[in-house]
Amino acid sequence: MCFAVREEVFVAEQQVPEDIEYDTYDAVAVHVLAVRADGTPLGTGRLLHGEAAEAKTGGDPSVGSLGRLAVTREARGLGVGAALVRAVEEAARARGLTAVDLHAQTHALGFYERLGYEAYGPEFPDAGIPHRAMRRAL
C-alpha cells in the first residue's frame, strides 16, 4: 500500500520517473502508512538508518533520513502528513537515533518548519524538483 500511495503522488501527480522513485533502500527502510478506518491508504513515509542513511545525512550514524513522505490528495490538510512525520521520528528514537534529516521540496519548507525542522545548505534539484536539506534533533 505504501508503494500505491507513492505511485499516485510522486509518479502520477508530480511526474517523478518510476525508475527513480523506487530504489534499493526500500528493502531496508522502515515504512510507515496512514490508513482510513476502512483501510484506504492515505499517506506514507520511510526512515533510512545506519548505512542506508549515511549518504543523505553526511555520514553521521546517529542521524536517520526521512523520505518518500506522500499524502494522497483527498487526505491533505487533515494532519496525516504531520502524523506520518511523528511516526518516523518515533521509529528513529526506537533505533537510538538523535536526529532526523530530510530533503524537502521547497514548497513544503513551511510544513516541516512547523514540525521543528531547520533548513540548511543550498537549494538543489531532485527528480527535477527544487529541494532543501532539513534536520530536527530528537
Side-chain angles (χ1 to χ4, degrees):
M1 285 203 259
C2 294
F3 295 131
V5 173
R6 287 168 49 185
E7 174 82 21
E8 178 183 333
V9 174
F10 295 129
V11 177
E13 193 177 316
Q14 296 184 356
Q15 302 298 300
V16 172
E18 193 169 340
D19 63 327
I20 64 172
E21 172 52 31
Y22 305 104
D23 59 29
T24 58
Y25 296 122
D26 284 324
V28 297
V30 175
H31 297 270
V32 296
L33 179 68
V35 296
R36 208 168 48 202
D38 68 1
T40 302
L42 301 175
T44 188
R46 75 178 186 186
L47 171 69
L48 300 180
H49 56 93
E51 284 184 30
E54 287 180 0
K56 298 176 182 288
T57 63
D60 186 339
S62 71
V63 180
S65 176
L66 185 161
R68 302 305 200 265
L69 187 75
V71 175
T72 62
R73 190 182 309 266
E74 70 173 293
R76 292 182 193 147
L78 302 177
V80 172
L84 288 164
V85 170
R86 295 304 185 221
V88 166
E89 292 170 351
E90 283 304 311
R93 280 188 196 91
R95 284 155 181 79
L97 302 177
T98 61
V100 172
D101 267 19
L102 58 87
H103 294 165
Q105 293 181 5
T106 55
H107 72 84
L109 288 172
F111 166 77
Y112 290 110
E113 287 169 345
R114 287 189 295 279
L115 294 174
Y117 287 80
E118 295 182 14
Y120 67 90
E123 185 177 290
F124 60 92
D126 188 0
I129 301 168
H131 283 69
R132 291 275 313 274
M134 301 186 85
R135 178 173 287 189
R136 179 175 186 259
L138 299 177

